[in-house]
Structure formats: structure tokens, C-alpha cells
Amino acid sequence: MTSILLCAPDAEASMLASDLELEGVDVRRLDASELTAAALDGADALLIAPTRSTLTAELIGACDRAGVRVLPVGDADTRLATRFGLPAPLPYGTSAAQVLRALAAGSPGAPTGRPSRVIAVWGPHGAPGRSTIAVQLAVELSRAGRRTALVDADSVAPSLALVLGLGEDAPGLAAACRRAELGTLDVAELSRLSSPVETSGGTLEVLSGLNRPSRWPELGAGRVRATLAACRSWTDETVVDVAAELDADDDGLDPGAPARHAATAAALLEADAVVAVLSADPLGVSRFIRAHAELRHVLGGTPVTVVANRVRPGPLGIDARGQIRRTLDRFAGIDDVAFVPEDQRAADAAALHARAIADVSPRSPLVTAVRRIASSLGARAETATAGSSRGSSRVARRLR
């Protein structure tokens, strides 16, 4: 017989317990103070109202050790459930059969059997749009049902906090790196140090970057790699925005000195996939070709998705895409390129509101192009606009 613990003070929980008992389930109702290791012993699942007094990191750890599946229920703090990597709470009115199916399937609505990944977004000098692509890619991965984190590991010009309207005093990546070095970085700490950002695709957990580039020694290679390794158990997808520079500068002068661009190299080495962004103009293509060989040397066999950003007919003539394809194929041996068109109006609106472009202009061709890139990386996003010509996301309606 299936044994389920129910920790929910609401009166509506009584009806859910009764429905489960009619399905032959052994239901035990407990208070938060009674959720001990002994109480968890022998239970198959825990249905809990996600409130700060009941859902804690200690409880999640105890359930993991006891092999008890946790499923939030009720109308409590949805964001708190997301912070612990749990699915959105099921309403109390959910039928017992649906609850049992959700328990059998794991996290409702989330892909199963797919490992967590780290995706680094890199590009050469000249502001090709790394941060724009990183933010939009994270939104589309979240829209596809993957719990997604966005990490600013750019030690030269960090910008995600400004792009998303976050305060620059957030602890972010630097604090996570310090805890990783001490061995105290876990899922609960990552959730505490991150800043949740609501988007039209879902909630993004953002680890903001350095508030001053002069603090770059805090992002050591070992620290960054340990932090990204911890992120694998925190979210399904971790999108990392990195700086352009790949070389080791003058490390040979003092082997014990910190490397200026260690964060970039560490993120690229830890990544399961890399999105390499180039600006679709003659200078941007030239810079990319020069840096691509060094990128491949650093990455080895890691798959790279090449993205030509801000594609427009002006700088490269009418057939801009054809020009870029032929040039990359001839000089870099790249025969597969994804193109993202320029949409200055949508980009300006996103900058004005400090939101992702998908939130303020869901019908933008730029959004559609990045959604295709996310799909090629293994994410199948749902349509965000539900047939509306102007977009139907809650965020987009509020901004209008």
C-alpha cells in the first residue's frame, strides 16, 4: 500500500486526504514539528504546503536520504518551491488520481531522464550580444519546462544585473565562489545567494556578477568550476555569460598569481555545450574567425553552436546570411550557423523596462530565432503568445 504524509494546515487538505484514502492510499497528517527522520521512515511521498515554516533545506535533505518524494500542494509560496527544485504546487482541488500520476511521473511537466547541463555563452571582443543571447536563451529553456539558472561569470564587464534590473549589491557569483572554496555550497545556499527573476517563460534564478571588475581575483578557476558543479544539482540548465578573453595573460611571470581571465576558461571547461556569438558585420566576423581557433583549442570536443547576431542587410549587402556562411566555411571550417535578426525596437523596449526581450516583445523575430536555438540544444519551448498578435504573457500585458 502506498504511504503518503500530508503536511498542510489548510482545511481544504482534509478533502484531498479523504480522496487519497478512497484510492487505497495510507495517508498520515502531520504538523511541521512532527516531520522527523523517524516519521519519514517507510513513507513513499510527502505532500506539503510550501511555506517558510514547513519547507526547509533540512527537510528536503532528510527526504532525500529517506527516499521520500516531495510534492508541494496548496496555494502557498510557489517561488519557495521553485527555489528547492520542486514543481509548482498542485491545487487542493486536484483529484487523487492526478496526484498519484504526478508522484509516479516525478516532477509534473518537467522532462525526465535528462541530465542537468551547463551552457556557456561566449563571443569575441566588440559586444556581439553575449548577454542578450544568454538572457533570452535562459528564458526559452525555462519556457520548455527546465529549471534554469543564469550566471554572470564575465569578469571584465558584467552586465546581467543591469539588464534584468537587479541591485548591484546582491551577493551573487562571488559569494557562491567563496562558499564553494570552503565546501559549504549546496542547493539551499545557491537559492539564498541567487535573485529570482519572473519572466514570461518562468522563474530564472540569477547569480549576478561582480559589482566592480577590479574584484576579478575572487573568480578563481577552481572556485568557478566548483560553483558550476554545484549548480548541476540545483537546476536543470545553467546558462553562463562569460567574457571574451581566452588567453592566460602573463601567468608565466608568477605561476602562483591568479589568472585575469580564469573565470572564462573555467566556465568553458565546465560547460557541456557552448553558444559562440558573433556580430553580423565585417569586423565582428573577422574577430570571431581569429578567436575561434583558440576557442576550439580550449574546448576540445565540447559541442559549439555558432550564432550570428544582429543580422541585417546593411553592412554585408542584401545576402548577409550567405556572406556569413561562405566566410565562416572558408576561413574557419564552420558550416552550421544559426542567425538572429536585429530588432532594435524590441531591444530598446527591453532595455527601457530592464526585462528580457520575450517579456516586452514576444512576437519579435529575435525571440523566435533564439527559441529555435534553444530547441536545437534539446529544449522544446511552448508558444508564449497563445495566438495573440501582441503577445499574451502576463509580464507583457503588465508592461503594455
Side-chain angles (χ1 to χ4, degrees), residues 360-365 383-393 396-397 400:
V360 298
S361 185
R363 288 288 188 179
S364 169
T383 301
T385 54
S388 168
S389 61
R390 298 185 62 191
S392 61
S393 73
R397 290 198 301 271
R400 286 201 301 269

Side-chain angles (χ1 to χ4, degrees), residues 288-289 292-293 296 326-335:
F288 181 84
I289 291 173
H292 179 259
R296 288 282 14 154
R326 289 188 291 272
T327 302
L328 293 179
D329 187 17
R330 179 180 178 184
F331 295 101
I334 300 171
D335 57 4

